[in-house]
């Protein structure tokens, strides 16, 4: 079994959900050498999330953002953590709900995602900036 760990930087994004599968894979050419295994993606931030969802219809991303904004509104009167802006505490809650890591099987040098699946960065801050993802590949190479 072979292992590889690599830090990848995603470009800064506006608030919302962004399909980042291609951006991640462009920085991970080593994936092609893995015949079988798993790829673990860990987003090293507390105000953004990483998830798998539909990659075909952009309205899914828009609806996710709208729904989370209703579930976790800004300026809730019970928030104590308000020092970094009105979008910060809601961002932490959204990250806690959605998570910051995913593991995907590798088959013949590719992520074994379903036809309509893609990796999404949920940017929960108005101006989050670049985001770091630590990727760990494990499996058989050849």
């Amino acid at each position: 079994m072979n292992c590889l760990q690599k830090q990848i930087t995603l470009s800064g994004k506006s608030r919302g959900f962004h399909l980042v599968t291609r951006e991640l894979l462009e920085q991970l050419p080593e994936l092609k050498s893995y015949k079988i295994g798993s790829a673990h993606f860990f987003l090293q931030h507390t105000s953004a999330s990483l998830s798998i969802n539909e990659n075909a219809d952009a309205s899914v991303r828009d609806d996710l953002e709208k729904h989370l904004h209703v579930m976790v509104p800004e300026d809730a009167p019970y928030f104590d953590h308000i020092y970094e802006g009105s979008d910060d505490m809601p961002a932490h809650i959204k990250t806690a709900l959605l998570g910051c890591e995913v593991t995907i099987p590798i088959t013949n040098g590719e992520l074994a995602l379903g036809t309509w699946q893609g990796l999404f960065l949920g940017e929960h801050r108005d101006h989050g900036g670049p985001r770091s993802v630590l990727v760990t590949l494990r499996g058989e190479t050849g």
Side-chain angles (χ1 to χ4, degrees):
M1 177 175 303
N2 293 303
C3 294
L4 170 91
Q5 195 166 69
K6 183 176 185 178
Q7 184 139 5
I8 292 176
T9 302
L10 297 173
S11 62
K13 313 254 186 282
S14 60
R15 183 192 288 214
F17 287 86
H18 305 274
L19 184 60
V20 294
T21 311
R22 181 175 296 155
E23 188 176 355
L24 287 165
L25 292 178
E26 286 172 351
Q27 298 181 63
L28 196 60
E30 301 89 346
L31 178 68
K32 293 185 186 309
S33 68
Y34 284 79
K35 292 191 178 291
I36 188 170
S38 61
H40 183 257
F41 297 85
F42 178 71
L43 182 66
Q44 297 179 299
H45 299 276
T46 61
S47 57
S49 60
L50 197 59
S51 62
I52 297 173
N53 218 306
E54 180 177 330
N55 64 4
D57 186 349
S59 68
V60 170
R61 297 188 292 273
D62 295 338
D63 288 346
L64 281 169
E65 174 62 21
K66 287 181 228 171
H67 183 75
L68 281 173
H69 190 66
V70 170
M71 279 180 59
V72 188
E74 292 184 12
D75 298 317
Y78 48 84
F79 288 159
D80 291 325
H81 181 76
I82 57 173
Y83 314 111
E84 297 178 51
S86 62
D87 65 337
D88 189 47
M89 189 60 222
H92 293 313
I93 294 170
K94 292 170 187 177
T95 300
L97 292 171
L98 295 172
C100 60
E101 61 185 324
V102 297
T103 301
I104 303 169
I106 299 169
T107 304
N108 296 322
E110 296 183 354
L111 297 178
L113 291 166
T115 302
W116 306 112
Q117 290 182 320
L119 278 162
F120 284 86
L121 172 73
E123 179 53 70
H124 306 306
R125 298 292 311 265
D126 289 332
H127 308 287
R131 298 297 191 171
S132 298
V133 179
L134 187 62
V135 181
T136 304
L137 303 179
R138 290 190 176 118
E140 293 180 25
T141 58

